[in-house]
Amino acid sequence: MAAGGGATYQSLPALINHLDAHRESATLSLAYASISDDGMGEVAKFVRDNPFVKHLDLRGNNIQAKGAQALANGVKLNRSLRSLNLKWNSIGKDPSGISSLCDSLKSNLTVGHVDLRNNRINNVGAKLVGDLLRANTTITHMDLSWNDLGVDGGLALLEGLKVNNSLIECQLSGSKVGEETLHEVAFLLRRNRASSAYKASSNDPGAIAAAADPKTSTIANGGPTASPTLANTTSRSLAMAGASALDGDGKGPVSRVQWTAKDSSSLMLRLMMKEREQVLPEDKLFYQQIAEHIDKLLLETSKHKQGRVDGEDRERLATTGFLEREQRYTGEIRETEEMLQRTIADKESLQKEMGYKTAELRQLNEESAAAIRDSVAFQEQAAAEEQQLRKELRDIVAEKRELQDKMTLGNRDLELLQEENVRLKKQVTALQQSVNEMLG
């Protein structure tokens, strides 16, 4: 991501990586990046230690008092920052946040643009900003639009602006400070612009004339005295400016007049002097309206110039961001292609291995089928043998029973024979005794 492009950081490591990647960038944009107070510590460290950053954009990050205090500690030690954009946050919700930020800017000598639009700043915060303007001599542009300053806040801001000679633009749209306060602020801003132009060129005729008038000497911050021939000088300047834009007959343009900041400051000083010289309120109002109209035109011109510069910066940053994104995407595509090649190689290797495994599985299936067939044949053979053995066992049992019956009969016959043998023996014995008796 480019330094000028916004991004969303859901984790602190992503924010730290982004800050590290833009250590040498003049512009750091973290707009709408969801930093909140949690990430402001790292941003504050970046601002504190970075000697290159000039423009810091932190809009739309829900920064509150804690984050503003952390940022104030970083800004206090920074010597390179030129602009600080904090719009669309909540710094003024708690007075401690805007207080810390204002305290850090009081002694700052580099920051010239401060954008605090829509930061929930109330009359208490406006008083703190007024104290800042009372002490600061560097800030030239400040935006406090769409803060609820109120009438009291506008008066507090006005008190600080009365002693400030550096602020030349202060936006207060939607701040509810009151019409009179807005006119007073516009007058003081015109005074500061004229004073700034006088400081830039002390030989400017209008500035010298303004400084010569005791009533307007404070406008030019005091300057060399000169005879106040304001009316003639003003008329001559306007007449010469108009005549130089026409041809000899006054009918058409010949060449464009190069209107400079010195001419603007001279004209504004003269109009302010004329306004203060007038006695009638209608005349004062007339010159005041002319001055305000010219001031608006000058502000519009300044805004257009700043818009052009901002547009060029955005275009440059967008181009830089596009190139960085293109390089990052190219790197990611290269990494993806390398990963794809590795994945294809892994796929081929896995396919070969799967082929080997498939062949082994087929062989194992065949061996399993053969084993199943052998098992079935063995079971059939075992069943047949079991039936044969059962038959033989039945035959043996029957033969055993028959033999047992025969043996029982034989034992009975044997007993009978033994009894007969005993009887015969007795008969023999008796016969012998009879023979013996007969012989004896």
Side-chain angles (χ1 to χ4, degrees), residues 311-379:
E312 292 175 352
D313 291 341
R314 285 194 297 270
E315 183 178 0
R316 186 184 74 254
L317 292 173
T319 304
T320 304
F322 175 77
L323 293 176
E324 290 183 0
R325 287 193 296 272
E326 185 179 14
Q327 292 176 357
R328 188 178 75 247
Y329 294 155
T330 303
E332 292 177 355
I333 291 172
R334 189 180 300 110
E335 292 177 358
T336 305
E337 289 178 348
E338 293 175 355
M339 186 183 301
L340 183 61
Q341 293 295 331
R342 291 194 297 269
T343 305
I344 292 174
D346 294 341
K347 178 183 175 183
E348 293 176 353
S349 175
L350 290 174
Q351 286 178 341
K352 291 180 180 179
E353 186 175 355
M354 187 172 67
Y356 297 147
K357 297 295 183 183
T358 303
E360 291 179 0
L361 179 62
R362 189 182 299 110
Q363 183 179 357
L364 289 173
N365 288 333
E366 292 175 356
E367 293 178 356
S368 175
I372 291 172
R373 288 193 297 271
D374 294 343
S375 175
V376 171
F378 176 76
Q379 289 177 355

Side-chain angles (χ1 to χ4, degrees), residues 28-48:
L28 176 66
S29 176
L30 294 170
Y32 309 105
S34 301
I35 297 174
S36 71
D37 289 348
D38 298 333
M40 285 307 297
E42 295 298 330
V43 177
K45 291 178 184 178
F46 177 87
V47 174
R48 180 192 64 191

Side-chain angles (χ1 to χ4, degrees), residues 386-405:
E386 182 181 5
Q387 291 178 357
Q388 181 67 26
L389 289 174
R390 287 180 182 277
K391 181 179 180 182
E392 292 178 357
L393 180 62
R394 284 194 299 270
D395 294 342
I396 291 172
V397 171
E399 185 178 358
K400 176 183 177 183
R401 189 177 296 114
E402 183 180 356
L403 290 174
Q404 286 178 344
D405 293 341

Side-chain angles (χ1 to χ4, degrees), residues 30 52 75 128 137 142 182 223 225 244 282 293 302 311 340:
L30 294 170
F52 301 103
V75 172
L128 296 171
T137 59
M142 179 175 287
L182 289 176
T225 58
S244 60
E282 296 82 0
H293 181 67
S302 176
L340 183 61

Side-chain angles (χ1 to χ4, degrees), residues 386-433:
E386 182 181 5
Q387 291 178 357
Q388 181 67 26
L389 289 174
R390 287 180 182 277
K391 181 179 180 182
E392 292 178 357
L393 180 62
R394 284 194 299 270
D395 294 342
I396 291 172
V397 171
E399 185 178 358
K400 176 183 177 183
R401 189 177 296 114
E402 183 180 356
L403 290 174
Q404 286 178 344
D405 293 341
K406 289 180 178 180
M407 186 175 68
T408 301
L409 293 174
N411 288 334
R412 188 176 296 118
D413 292 340
L414 180 62
E415 290 177 354
L416 292 175
L417 288 174
Q418 286 177 350
E419 291 176 356
E420 183 66 22
N421 188 23
V422 170
R423 186 180 64 78
L424 289 174
K425 282 182 178 180
K426 288 179 178 180
Q427 287 180 1
V428 170
T429 302
L431 181 61
Q432 285 180 350
Q433 288 177 356

Side-chain angles (χ1 to χ4, degrees), residues 82-102:
R82 297 293 185 270
S83 67
L84 184 59
N85 190 342
L86 291 167
K87 64 180 178 179
W88 292 102
N89 287 291
S90 300
I91 294 175
K93 183 178 180 181
D94 186 337
S96 60
I98 190 67
S99 176
S100 299
L101 189 62
C102 290

